[in-house]
Amino acid sequence: MSDEKFNVKSQVTCTAPVNIAVIKYWGKRNEGLILPINSSLSVTLHQDQLKTTTTVASSLHFKEDRIWLNGKEDNINHPRLQSCLREIRRLARKRSSDGDNNSEKLNLSHKVHICSINNFPTAAGLASSAAGYACLVYTLARLYGVEGELSEVARQGSGSACRSMYGGFVQWIMGDKPDGKDSIAEQIQPETHWPELRVLILVVSAERKPVGSTAGMQTSVQTSPLLKYRAESVVPERMKEIIAAIRRRDFETFGELTMKDSNQFHATCLDTYPPIFYLNDVSKRIISLVHRYNTYYGRTRLAYTFDAGPNAVVYTLEEHVDEFVELIKQYFPPETNGEQFLKGLAVSPASVTEELKSAIGMESCPRGISYIINTKAGPGPRVVEDTSLHLLGSDGLPKHLKQSA
């Protein structure tokens, strides 16, 4: 296919961020529309450290819709993926029929090719599906000239993807309408609101988790009385409290609520029958380290949260990062094989007092943590203006296929 037949205007590349929930989403009241049983709240992480990049191209010459994920062709007929494609095309047709002159003059009957890559491990509890579907929906919307509220569309791909449509601090309002039109994401504060906040991801295992989130949620909803109690009696008040804490930049309250919510989420997994275990021994050691550290200082300086996987996400303030990273090196000594243990934002060397070591009093766990990503709150999805960064070549096929050929 020549460059003339496949012009750059019909190709768009965007990036989208990972988000990490501090008030967890676990359980759906409607599986088809992905409507949650409770509202949730997350911090959008900076794309300099964690992001999905997606290129979407449309052409008369494409025979069928196709998708490549992280270097391999995947099934384009996945129901959730089809929901997003169908909804964006429907919105584009609506704009066209409404006579919107600003909408892209793109033939909606043309097939699309989609290529997407993550710069972090997929399906390891690092919210890869949230970033992936947010990026897909945002990129498709740009290609077709669709504007307005897109979090409702992203939600139909992956529930937490709706929160990745915004930067900073984001709540997903559960809504109460049967059609899900009011189950959308909303930014509480932009990423610039709390510049001192830092997020450290301790990668315990980059392996695929044994029980996927979708299956785990379904079993919890069916079997856990604690999950029902949590959704109805705990989360509504907790949402109000944590939003207020974020607005006043009150780390102690934010941190305590974050840890309590993570603990309760994993308690509902244990209350599920048969029980689900996402945390492993290293996860539990990190929890112990955080509590011993906070006890030593007499205040909440660190706050952990765990999604559906063993990796820890630790929130703290910039002034405490250096000491905490040094503690991790002491108690989870890394392998000395040249692999980079610390990724992301720079960390300065720090010393740990004997008094603090004595107060923590834990045995070391060599190679318990593979690496650390140091990051902060960041912006929502963005368009990549540099056309040389498109993931698809002028023939509509992934560039990496040509490089490896």
PDB file of all heavy atoms in Angstrom, residues 9 91-92 94-106 141-148:
ATOM      1  N   LYS A   9      -3.465  11.680   8.002  1.00  0.00           N
ATOM      2  CA  LYS A   9      -4.648  12.240   8.665  1.00  0.00           C
ATOM      3  C   LYS A   9      -5.573  11.149   9.198  1.00  0.00           C
ATOM      4  O   LYS A   9      -6.363  11.378  10.094  1.00  0.00           O
ATOM      5  CB  LYS A   9      -5.414  13.144   7.705  1.00  0.00           C
ATOM      6  CG  LYS A   9      -4.745  14.498   7.483  1.00  0.00           C
ATOM      7  CD  LYS A   9      -5.597  15.390   6.610  1.00  0.00           C
ATOM      8  CE  LYS A   9      -4.913  16.732   6.396  1.00  0.00           C
ATOM      9  NZ  LYS A   9      -5.674  17.574   5.461  1.00  0.00           N
ATOM     10  N   LEU A  91     -21.278   7.276  18.160  1.00  0.00           N
ATOM     11  CA  LEU A  91     -21.188   8.706  18.475  1.00  0.00           C
ATOM     12  C   LEU A  91     -20.708   9.505  17.268  1.00  0.00           C
ATOM     13  O   LEU A  91     -21.158  10.624  17.033  1.00  0.00           O
ATOM     14  CB  LEU A  91     -20.256   8.925  19.671  1.00  0.00           C
ATOM     15  CG  LEU A  91     -20.762   8.393  21.019  1.00  0.00           C
ATOM     16  CD1 LEU A  91     -19.659   8.435  22.070  1.00  0.00           C
ATOM     17  CD2 LEU A  91     -21.971   9.195  21.490  1.00  0.00           C
ATOM     18  N   ALA A  92     -19.785   8.912  16.497  1.00  0.00           N
ATOM     19  CA  ALA A  92     -19.289   9.592  15.292  1.00  0.00           C
ATOM     20  C   ALA A  92     -20.391   9.724  14.249  1.00  0.00           C
ATOM     21  O   ALA A  92     -20.540  10.779  13.601  1.00  0.00           O
ATOM     22  CB  ALA A  92     -18.100   8.832  14.716  1.00  0.00           C
ATOM     23  N   LYS A  94     -23.557   9.835  14.881  1.00  0.00           N
ATOM     24  CA  LYS A  94     -24.521  10.803  15.408  1.00  0.00           C
ATOM     25  C   LYS A  94     -24.059  12.228  15.119  1.00  0.00           C
ATOM     26  O   LYS A  94     -24.839  13.076  14.690  1.00  0.00           O
ATOM     27  CB  LYS A  94     -24.693  10.601  16.918  1.00  0.00           C
ATOM     28  CG  LYS A  94     -25.764  11.481  17.558  1.00  0.00           C
ATOM     29  CD  LYS A  94     -25.964  11.112  19.020  1.00  0.00           C
ATOM     30  CE  LYS A  94     -27.100  11.900  19.646  1.00  0.00           C
ATOM     31  NZ  LYS A  94     -26.883  13.355  19.631  1.00  0.00           N
ATOM     32  N   ARG A  95     -22.782  12.490  15.324  1.00  0.00           N
ATOM     33  CA  ARG A  95     -22.243  13.821  15.040  1.00  0.00           C
ATOM     34  C   ARG A  95     -22.384  14.154  13.558  1.00  0.00           C
ATOM     35  O   ARG A  95     -22.719  15.270  13.182  1.00  0.00           O
ATOM     36  CB  ARG A  95     -20.755  13.890  15.422  1.00  0.00           C
ATOM     37  CG  ARG A  95     -20.516  13.951  16.909  1.00  0.00           C
ATOM     38  CD  ARG A  95     -19.103  14.389  17.215  1.00  0.00           C
ATOM     39  NE  ARG A  95     -18.874  15.751  16.768  1.00  0.00           N
ATOM     40  CZ  ARG A  95     -17.789  16.457  17.053  1.00  0.00           C
ATOM     41  NH1 ARG A  95     -16.838  15.919  17.769  1.00  0.00           N
ATOM     42  NH2 ARG A  95     -17.638  17.690  16.622  1.00  0.00           N
ATOM     43  N   SER A  96     -22.112  13.152  12.729  1.00  0.00           N
ATOM     44  CA  SER A  96     -22.184  13.360  11.285  1.00  0.00           C
ATOM     45  C   SER A  96     -23.621  13.647  10.851  1.00  0.00           C
ATOM     46  O   SER A  96     -23.879  14.559  10.060  1.00  0.00           O
ATOM     47  CB  SER A  96     -21.642  12.118  10.576  1.00  0.00           C
ATOM     48  OG  SER A  96     -21.656  12.300   9.185  1.00  0.00           O
ATOM     49  N   SER A  97     -24.575  12.883  11.402  1.00  0.00           N
ATOM     50  CA  SER A  97     -25.979  13.077  11.026  1.00  0.00           C
ATOM     51  C   SER A  97     -26.546  14.369  11.596  1.00  0.00           C
ATOM     52  O   SER A  97     -27.490  14.943  11.056  1.00  0.00           O
ATOM     53  CB  SER A  97     -26.830  11.889  11.504  1.00  0.00           C
ATOM     54  OG  SER A  97     -26.842  11.816  12.909  1.00  0.00           O
ATOM     55  N   ASP A  98     -25.938  14.852  12.702  1.00  0.00           N
ATOM     56  CA  ASP A  98     -26.360  16.128  13.278  1.00  0.00           C
ATOM     57  C   ASP A  98     -25.805  17.314  12.507  1.00  0.00           C
ATOM     58  O   ASP A  98     -26.069  18.470  12.845  1.00  0.00           O
ATOM     59  CB  ASP A  98     -25.906  16.230  14.743  1.00  0.00           C
ATOM     60  CG  ASP A  98     -26.706  15.304  15.654  1.00  0.00           C
ATOM     61  OD1 ASP A  98     -27.748  14.790  15.187  1.00  0.00           O
ATOM     62  OD2 ASP A  98     -26.291  15.095  16.804  1.00  0.00           O
ATOM     63  N   GLY A  99     -24.987  17.014  11.494  1.00  0.00           N
ATOM     64  CA  GLY A  99     -24.439  18.088  10.657  1.00  0.00           C
ATOM     65  C   GLY A  99     -23.316  18.838  11.306  1.00  0.00           C
ATOM     66  O   GLY A  99     -23.112  20.030  11.044  1.00  0.00           O
ATOM     67  N   ASP A 100     -22.553  18.176  12.163  1.00  0.00           N
ATOM     68  CA  ASP A 100     -21.431  18.824  12.840  1.00  0.00           C
ATOM     69  C   ASP A 100     -20.287  18.993  11.844  1.00  0.00           C
ATOM     70  O   ASP A 100     -19.628  18.034  11.463  1.00  0.00           O
ATOM     71  CB  ASP A 100     -20.978  17.968  14.029  1.00  0.00           C
ATOM     72  CG  ASP A 100     -19.963  18.688  14.897  1.00  0.00           C
ATOM     73  OD1 ASP A 100     -19.262  19.575  14.367  1.00  0.00           O
ATOM     74  OD2 ASP A 100     -19.884  18.379  16.092  1.00  0.00           O
ATOM     75  N   ASN A 101     -20.040  20.226  11.441  1.00  0.00           N
ATOM     76  CA  ASN A 101     -19.017  20.488  10.437  1.00  0.00           C
ATOM     77  C   ASN A 101     -17.601  20.314  10.968  1.00  0.00           C
ATOM     78  O   ASN A 101     -16.640  20.244  10.210  1.00  0.00           O
ATOM     79  CB  ASN A 101     -19.174  21.911   9.878  1.00  0.00           C
ATOM     80  CG  ASN A 101     -20.466  22.056   9.085  1.00  0.00           C
ATOM     81  OD1 ASN A 101     -20.882  21.124   8.408  1.00  0.00           O
ATOM     82  ND2 ASN A 101     -21.098  23.211   9.189  1.00  0.00           N
ATOM     83  N   ASN A 102     -17.479  20.270  12.317  1.00  0.00           N
ATOM     84  CA  ASN A 102     -16.149  20.130  12.901  1.00  0.00           C
ATOM     85  C   ASN A 102     -15.688  18.680  12.976  1.00  0.00           C
ATOM     86  O   ASN A 102     -14.533  18.398  13.223  1.00  0.00           O
ATOM     87  CB  ASN A 102     -16.127  20.728  14.323  1.00  0.00           C
ATOM     88  CG  ASN A 102     -16.322  22.235  14.290  1.00  0.00           C
ATOM     89  OD1 ASN A 102     -15.816  22.903  13.406  1.00  0.00           O
ATOM     90  ND2 ASN A 102     -17.061  22.759  15.250  1.00  0.00           N
ATOM     91  N   SER A 103     -16.625  17.761  12.781  1.00  0.00           N
ATOM     92  CA  SER A 103     -16.254  16.349  12.903  1.00  0.00           C
ATOM     93  C   SER A 103     -15.367  15.936  11.732  1.00  0.00           C
ATOM     94  O   SER A 103     -15.469  16.462  10.637  1.00  0.00           O
ATOM     95  CB  SER A 103     -17.492  15.455  12.971  1.00  0.00           C
ATOM     96  OG  SER A 103     -18.221  15.540  11.778  1.00  0.00           O
ATOM     97  N   GLU A 104     -14.469  15.002  12.004  1.00  0.00           N
ATOM     98  CA  GLU A 104     -13.545  14.534  10.975  1.00  0.00           C
ATOM     99  C   GLU A 104     -14.337  13.876   9.831  1.00  0.00           C
ATOM    100  O   GLU A 104     -15.252  13.098  10.070  1.00  0.00           O
ATOM    101  CB  GLU A 104     -12.578  13.518  11.577  1.00  0.00           C
ATOM    102  CG  GLU A 104     -11.605  14.117  12.583  1.00  0.00           C
ATOM    103  CD  GLU A 104     -10.533  14.963  11.935  1.00  0.00           C
ATOM    104  OE1 GLU A 104     -10.193  14.682  10.774  1.00  0.00           O
ATOM    105  OE2 GLU A 104     -10.054  15.901  12.577  1.00  0.00           O
ATOM    106  N   LYS A 105     -13.922  14.180   8.614  1.00  0.00           N
ATOM    107  CA  LYS A 105     -14.572  13.579   7.452  1.00  0.00           C
ATOM    108  C   LYS A 105     -13.927  12.216   7.180  1.00  0.00           C
ATOM    109  O   LYS A 105     -13.172  12.020   6.233  1.00  0.00           O
ATOM    110  CB  LYS A 105     -14.435  14.494   6.229  1.00  0.00           C
ATOM    111  CG  LYS A 105     -15.087  15.860   6.425  1.00  0.00           C
ATOM    112  CD  LYS A 105     -16.578  15.748   6.722  1.00  0.00           C
ATOM    113  CE  LYS A 105     -17.222  17.113   6.895  1.00  0.00           C
ATOM    114  NZ  LYS A 105     -18.598  17.051   7.364  1.00  0.00           N
ATOM    115  N   LEU A 106     -14.175  11.290   8.080  1.00  0.00           N
ATOM    116  CA  LEU A 106     -13.582   9.969   7.990  1.00  0.00           C
ATOM    117  C   LEU A 106     -14.680   8.980   7.666  1.00  0.00           C
ATOM    118  O   LEU A 106     -15.735   8.996   8.291  1.00  0.00           O
ATOM    119  CB  LEU A 106     -12.933   9.619   9.340  1.00  0.00           C
ATOM    120  CG  LEU A 106     -11.882   8.528   9.356  1.00  0.00           C
ATOM    121  CD1 LEU A 106     -10.646   8.948   8.568  1.00  0.00           C
ATOM    122  CD2 LEU A 106     -11.491   8.211  10.794  1.00  0.00           C
ATOM    123  N   ALA A 141     -11.633   8.223  19.594  1.00  0.00           N
ATOM    124  CA  ALA A 141     -12.416   9.465  19.611  1.00  0.00           C
ATOM    125  C   ALA A 141     -11.711  10.564  18.821  1.00  0.00           C
ATOM    126  O   ALA A 141     -12.349  11.324  18.091  1.00  0.00           O
ATOM    127  CB  ALA A 141     -12.657   9.909  21.054  1.00  0.00           C
ATOM    128  N   ARG A 142     -10.387  10.631  18.952  1.00  0.00           N
ATOM    129  CA  ARG A 142      -9.617  11.625  18.193  1.00  0.00           C
ATOM    130  C   ARG A 142      -9.663  11.324  16.699  1.00  0.00           C
ATOM    131  O   ARG A 142      -9.784  12.230  15.881  1.00  0.00           O
ATOM    132  CB  ARG A 142      -8.162  11.630  18.677  1.00  0.00           C
ATOM    133  CG  ARG A 142      -7.988  12.258  20.041  1.00  0.00           C
ATOM    134  CD  ARG A 142      -8.170  13.762  19.970  1.00  0.00           C
ATOM    135  NE  ARG A 142      -8.108  14.398  21.266  1.00  0.00           N
ATOM    136  CZ  ARG A 142      -7.760  15.664  21.455  1.00  0.00           C
ATOM    137  NH1 ARG A 142      -7.440  16.422  20.413  1.00  0.00           N
ATOM    138  NH2 ARG A 142      -7.756  16.185  22.651  1.00  0.00           N
ATOM    139  N   LEU A 143      -9.562  10.064  16.355  1.00  0.00           N
ATOM    140  CA  LEU A 143      -9.601   9.680  14.943  1.00  0.00           C
ATOM    141  C   LEU A 143     -10.938  10.070  14.305  1.00  0.00           C
ATOM    142  O   LEU A 143     -10.981  10.594  13.195  1.00  0.00           O
ATOM    143  CB  LEU A 143      -9.378   8.168  14.813  1.00  0.00           C
ATOM    144  CG  LEU A 143      -9.322   7.619  13.380  1.00  0.00           C
ATOM    145  CD1 LEU A 143      -7.982   7.953  12.729  1.00  0.00           C
ATOM    146  CD2 LEU A 143      -9.531   6.108  13.375  1.00  0.00           C
ATOM    147  N   TYR A 144     -12.025   9.814  15.026  1.00  0.00           N
ATOM    148  CA  TYR A 144     -13.363  10.055  14.483  1.00  0.00           C
ATOM    149  C   TYR A 144     -13.924  11.437  14.803  1.00  0.00           C
ATOM    150  O   TYR A 144     -15.058  11.749  14.444  1.00  0.00           O
ATOM    151  CB  TYR A 144     -14.338   8.988  15.001  1.00  0.00           C
ATOM    152  CG  TYR A 144     -14.130   7.625  14.392  1.00  0.00           C
ATOM    153  CD1 TYR A 144     -13.860   6.516  15.197  1.00  0.00           C
ATOM    154  CD2 TYR A 144     -14.210   7.425  13.018  1.00  0.00           C
ATOM    155  CE1 TYR A 144     -13.685   5.251  14.656  1.00  0.00           C
ATOM    156  CE2 TYR A 144     -14.031   6.171  12.467  1.00  0.00           C
ATOM    157  CZ  TYR A 144     -13.766   5.087  13.285  1.00  0.00           C
ATOM    158  OH  TYR A 144     -13.586   3.845  12.732  1.00  0.00           O
ATOM    159  N   GLY A 145     -13.154  12.270  15.513  1.00  0.00           N
ATOM    160  CA  GLY A 145     -13.630  13.612  15.839  1.00  0.00           C
ATOM    161  C   GLY A 145     -14.738  13.634  16.869  1.00  0.00           C
ATOM    162  O   GLY A 145     -15.567  14.543  16.878  1.00  0.00           O
ATOM    163  N   VAL A 146     -14.763  12.631  17.755  1.00  0.00           N
ATOM    164  CA  VAL A 146     -15.793  12.571  18.798  1.00  0.00           C
ATOM    165  C   VAL A 146     -15.281  13.304  20.036  1.00  0.00           C
ATOM    166  O   VAL A 146     -14.161  13.055  20.488  1.00  0.00           O
ATOM    167  CB  VAL A 146     -16.123  11.100  19.157  1.00  0.00           C
ATOM    168  CG1 VAL A 146     -17.061  11.030  20.353  1.00  0.00           C
ATOM    169  CG2 VAL A 146     -16.735  10.398  17.951  1.00  0.00           C
ATOM    170  N   GLU A 147     -16.108  14.182  20.590  1.00  0.00           N
ATOM    171  CA  GLU A 147     -15.720  14.936  21.784  1.00  0.00           C
ATOM    172  C   GLU A 147     -16.729  14.692  22.903  1.00  0.00           C
ATOM    173  O   GLU A 147     -17.703  13.979  22.722  1.00  0.00           O
ATOM    174  CB  GLU A 147     -15.634  16.432  21.447  1.00  0.00           C
ATOM    175  CG  GLU A 147     -14.547  16.757  20.427  1.00  0.00           C
ATOM    176  CD  GLU A 147     -14.603  18.196  19.962  1.00  0.00           C
ATOM    177  OE1 GLU A 147     -15.561  18.909  20.320  1.00  0.00           O
ATOM    178  OE2 GLU A 147     -13.685  18.602  19.225  1.00  0.00           O
ATOM    179  N   GLY A 148     -16.468  15.324  24.045  1.00  0.00           N
ATOM    180  CA  GLY A 148     -17.426  15.227  25.152  1.00  0.00           C
ATOM    181  C   GLY A 148     -17.055  14.135  26.138  1.00  0.00           C
ATOM    182  O   GLY A 148     -15.908  13.703  26.224  1.00  0.00           O
TER     183      GLY A 148
END
